[in-house]
Amino acid sequence: MSLRIAITAEPIPSHVSALDYVTCPALEQGHRVTLHAPVMFRREARRRGVRFSVAGTDWTCDPALQRAASEVWKRYGNATFNRYAFGRLWPRQAGVKARHLLTAWGRKRPDLVIAECSDLGAHLAARVLGLPLVAADNGLGPVLVDLWDAHIAPALLPLYRRYEPQVPGAEDAQRAPTLPPMLTPAPVHWFYGTPPPAVRAVRRTLAGFRTARSGLPDVSLRPSRPLVYVSLGTLTTAMSGLRTAVEDVYREVVAALLAIDCDAIVSAGDLAPHLAHLPGVGPHIKVVAHAPQPALLHRADLFVTHAGRASLLDAVQGATPVLALGVLGDQPGNAAAFARRGLGRALDVTAGRGEIADALTALLDAPCHAAALCVARAELSRLPPLNLTDIRDSLSGRPGVPWAGWVEEVCGADNE
C-alpha cells in the first residue's frame, strides 16, 4: 500500500542528508514522499526524487542571529549555547513552521509525518491535525531529551495553548508539549545515556549519489603514507560568527598534519580559499571546499572530525578511526561517546597543533581501534530495516508490533 509521507527538515545545511535513512526507504517502498522544508532545500529534494513544498524560513541564515548565537558559544560555552539555541531560538521559530504545515496538511492530509526531532513546529502541526507522527533523530536527539522538561517544553507551552483546543478546566499538563516517538539510525546506547520514552533504532541508508566514488579530490597520494581526511562540518563554516574560531582550529590541524608523515585531504567549505595558501600546503595536503565523504572514508586511514552524528556513522561504515574535536550542539558529547567505545580519541576544540599531532600519531600507530570499528560496523549493519507501513500502523493503533513493546525489546537488547 502506497502512503502519502510528509518529511520535514529545519534550515541546517546537512540536515536533509541526515534524513536519508527515512527518505531512501520511503522511496524504495513505493511511497509518495514530500519534503516540507525551507526553500534552501529545494535542490536537495530534486536530487533525491521527492516532491517539495516550502515550509518555514531560512532563519538560521540570518547574519545577526548567527552572530548572537556564536557570541553565546564563544563567551559561555556549549552547554549555554544549547540552552540558548534549543530552548529559545528554535521555539521562537516553531510558530511560522506550524502555520505553513497546518495549511499544507489541512488541504492534503499525509498518512504519516516524519519530522526532524528538532522541528518543533512540525510536531505541533501534526498533533493539532491528529496525524500519525514520528520524529527522526538528526543527531540532536540527546540534546533535546536533556533540555526538554526544563527548557524546551516551557518555551513551547504558550504556542501550544494558542493552537490546541481549549478544554474548560484542562490543566497545562494535559496540553504539555511532548517529544514524539523517535527513529534513530544507530544503536540507542551509542549516543543516549538515558533513552527517550519511545525510540526505534533502524538501519542507516544513504542516498546513492552520496556513496559514489567519483569526484574524489585530485591529490598526489603516496601508497606508503597514511591518508588523513579532515572535515569540521558544514554548519560551523557557514556561521559567520564562528568562522574565525573554526578557521583557527583548521589551521592548528593543518600545522599538525605537516608535522607528521602523512597525506591529507582537508574539506573546509567556505574556508577552503583561506586555508589553501597556508605555508607548507602542497601536493600531499589538498584543501577542498567539499569532498564525497562516505566514499572517501572507505580509503582514509584516519578521520579528523567535528563529531557530527552523520560523520561519525560514516566513519563506522568506512571502518575509519576518528580524532574528534566536538565544536557545538551534540558534537562534544558524541566525541566523548565514540572515544569511550574505542573508536578513536576526543580532544577539546581548543587543542593546539602539538597535542593534535601527538593524537594523530598515536591513532595511526595503534591497530587496536580496528577491532572496535569492526564490532561497531557489524552492530550498525544488524539494525532492522525501516518499514514505514508498520510504523504508520503502530502509531495509528492498527494491527502490528506495538511501538512501546518494540522499544522495550530494543532498549533491553542494547543494555545487555
Side-chain angles (χ1 to χ4, degrees), residues 169-191:
E171 300 292 335
D172 279 344
Q174 295 174 264
R175 293 193 295 271
T178 55
L179 193 59
M182 195 180 301
L183 302 170
T184 190
V188 174
H189 65 279
W190 281 17
F191 297 101

Side-chain angles (χ1 to χ4, degrees), residues 300-322:
D301 298 288
L302 180 60
F303 181 23
V304 180
T305 172
H306 64 304
R309 170 77 63 85
S311 290
L312 292 177
L313 296 181
D314 285 344
V316 171
Q317 290 181 312
T320 308
V322 301

Side-chain angles (χ1 to χ4, degrees), residues 315-372:
V316 171
Q317 290 181 312
T320 308
V322 301
L323 175 58
L325 301 164
V327 181
L328 49 69
D330 59 308
Q331 297 160 13
N334 294 343
F338 256 48
R340 286 194 301 270
R341 300 192 69 79
L343 303 175
R345 295 184 61 175
L347 291 179
D348 191 89
V349 72
T350 60
R353 61 191 65 182
E355 190 176 2
I356 295 172
D358 288 345
L360 291 173
T361 301
L363 284 165
L364 290 171
D365 290 344
C368 62
H369 300 289

Side-chain angles (χ1 to χ4, degrees), residues 34-379:
T34 300
L35 177 65
H36 298 265
V39 70
M40 65 187 291
F41 289 132
R42 188 186 299 274
R43 179 173 176 269
E44 293 298 321
R46 185 166 58 247
R47 292 177 80 186
R48 287 163 174 78
V50 303
R51 299 173 178 85
F52 181 77
S53 176
V54 176
T57 65
D58 296 338
W59 60 273
T60 57
C61 300
D62 180 353
L65 183 148
Q66 289 187 1
R67 284 193 297 271
S70 300
E71 193 62 26
V72 169
W73 179 80
K74 288 187 287 188
R75 282 182 136 191
Y76 304 110
N78 189 56
T80 302
F81 169 84
N82 284 344
R83 291 192 295 271
Y84 174 75
F86 302 109
R88 183 182 299 184
L89 297 182
W90 250 259
R92 284 180 179 175
Q93 300 296 326
V96 175
K97 188 69 167 288
R99 287 198 301 273
H100 290 176
L101 294 175
L102 285 167
T103 300
W105 295 342
R107 293 195 193 107
K108 184 176 290 187
R109 290 175 65 88
D111 299 305
L112 175 65
V113 173
I114 306 175
E116 271 197 294
C117 61
S118 54
D119 196 342
L120 307 175
H123 302 173
L124 173 58
R127 178 163 150 170
V128 169
L129 294 172
L131 299 171
L133 166 67
V134 62
D137 187 358
N138 53 20
L140 293 172
V143 175
L144 297 177
V145 170
D146 288 345
L147 296 177
W148 192 267
D149 290 339
H151 299 280
I152 299 175
L156 286 173
L157 187 56
L159 186 64
Y160 273 62
R161 286 173 178 156
R162 189 186 320 157
Y163 277 96
E164 293 205 297
Q166 299 295 310
V167 180
E171 300 292 335
D172 279 344
Q174 295 174 264
R175 293 193 295 271
T178 55
L179 193 59
M182 195 180 301
L183 302 170
T184 190
V188 174
H189 65 279
W190 281 17
F191 297 101
Y192 288 93
T194 301
V199 60
R200 286 191 185 190
V202 297
R203 187 172 300 167
R204 184 177 191 242
T205 52
L206 298 174
F209 67 86
R210 295 196 64 233
T211 60
R213 294 179 182 257
S214 60
L216 290 173
D218 181 18
V219 59
S220 180
L221 299 178
R222 297 167 292 183
S224 61
R225 301 295 186 271
L227 173 62
V228 179
Y229 171 57
V230 181
S231 173
L232 299 181
T234 54
L235 174 60
T236 51
T237 57
M239 290 181 66
S240 55
L242 280 180
R243 216 166 273 157
T244 301
V246 176
E247 183 174 350
D248 289 343
V249 180
Y250 269 112
R251 288 175 181 273
E252 294 300 302
V253 171
V254 171
L257 292 169
L258 291 169
I260 66 175
D261 193 15
C262 71
D263 295 340
I265 296 171
V266 180
S267 176
D270 295 342
L271 294 175
H274 302 276
L275 301 175
H277 303 296
L278 289 176
V281 172
H284 304 308
I285 296 183
K286 181 76 171 181
V287 179
V288 298
H290 303 287
Q293 180 168 291
L296 188 51
L297 286 173
H298 282 84
R299 290 183 57 186
D301 298 288
L302 180 60
F303 181 23
V304 180
T305 172
H306 64 304
R309 170 77 63 85
S311 290
L312 292 177
L313 296 181
D314 285 344
V316 171
Q317 290 181 312
T320 308
V322 301
L323 175 58
L325 301 164
V327 181
L328 49 69
D330 59 308
Q331 297 160 13
N334 294 343
F338 256 48
R340 286 194 301 270
R341 300 192 69 79
L343 303 175
R345 295 184 61 175
L347 291 179
D348 191 89
V349 72
T350 60
R353 61 191 65 182
E355 190 176 2
I356 295 172
D358 288 345
L360 291 173
T361 301
L363 284 165
L364 290 171
D365 290 344
C368 62
H369 300 289
L373 282 161
C374 183
V375 170
R377 183 163 61 172
E379 192 175 2

